[in-house]
Amino acid sequence: MHHTLNILGIETSCDETAVAIFEGEPTAGQGRILAERVASQIPTHARFGGIVPEVASREHLAALPGLVAETMREAGLHWRDLHGIAVTAGPGLMGALLVGVAFARAAGRAAGLPVFPIHHMEGHLLAPGIAAALPPFPFISLLVSGGHTMLVRVDGIGRYTVIGQTIDDAAGECFDKSARLLGLPYPGGPEIARLAAGGDARRFPLPRPMLQHDNLNFSFSGLKTAVMLATKSCAHEPDEQWKHDLAAAIEAAITEVLIAKSVRACRQHGVAHLVIAGGVAANQTLRARLQAEASQYGLSIHLPDPRYCTDNGAMIAFACYCQVIADRHPPEAWDARARWPLQTVSAH
Ligand code: KG4
Ligand code: ZN
């Protein structure tokens, strides 16, 4: 008999309530998403210019049970057809995480299923494997989201070494804060990208923080300050072209630093495969530039589909599937963790 592994994935760490079911081959690392839902809270939080944690928890609570029911129905599965439940256990907003974790535990108990605590960044990191084969190990992964910017050396499932990270703001945070300075709504990344399309990046020579430093770390707070000064000096311009030009300059500066440091990481580690994942990896300019420059650096680039770059349930279900086929078992005791260093996942 040929049994597939069906994993329900639940993600509630931030401002998307997301659910998906991954159906995987029992031995090979392949499979497909049977059904998925992402309910974004962006319209709710946009009114406040950022995420309000208490509001996020309440929205997850209201949305999650219905999304799970819809996803199960669309996949045509009953609880008994599942092999396990994967849930983001951290890092993230504690109240938001607890909604997903409590639901997963209750469902796991009732249906007699194991519950797997998944690290949110491990989900992002493995996301290119959802719809295509993962690159061979070792590979380097640049993880760029609203809360994190890090370079990770991946030597296997659960074998992650953080080799570089931001010393202040995350790349997504820099997009979000810059957008705010330009009077754009939250989240800023897609808004800056939209404005940038009609802009000339050369008008504003923004700094490329840490580009010349011979290490793998990032810093984005100085860039944010430069953007603030530029907005002040342009506030009285008669037309709005400067906003397009500044948005293009912001996108170019962030993109250039991210690519340069990723290439440096691959060179230093003698690795030819580069993954870029997390919300900022949905950025089309970043994707296009990387693809265009990859051959010149001798790199092969692995990008998740844009919908698997921003937060989703598929990456959580898939990360769990990878653990199961790698024979990694859920720990006996675990809890939601607002902070959870990625390197410690395998120590679990
Ligand atoms: O991974 P994600 O969905 O949530 C976190 O785990 O943080 O990442 C969200 C971040 C936000 O900062 C958002 O502005 C950014 O990803 N983002 C983008 C784009 N889409 C989302 N940044 C640049 N360009 C985009 N197209
Ligand atoms: Zn994320």
Side-chain angles (χ1 to χ4, degrees), residues 220-241:
F220 290 105
S221 70
L223 182 53
K224 179 189 64 193
T225 307
V227 171
M228 188 183 69
L229 295 174
T231 54
K232 286 211 170 117
S233 73
C234 291
H236 301 294
E237 296 266 321
D239 71 53
E240 301 260 285
Q241 183 56 37

Side-chain angles (χ1 to χ4, degrees), residues 120 124 145 311 315:
H120 182 79
H124 278 306
S145 69
D311 289 349
M315 69 183 193

Side-chain angles (χ1 to χ4, degrees), residues 41-64:
Q41 305 178 0
I42 285 170
T44 312
H45 295 292
R47 292 185 288 136
F48 305 103
I51 299 162
V52 183
E54 294 79 1
V55 175
S57 308
R58 283 200 293 274
E59 296 257 317
H60 286 307
L61 185 59
L64 183 59

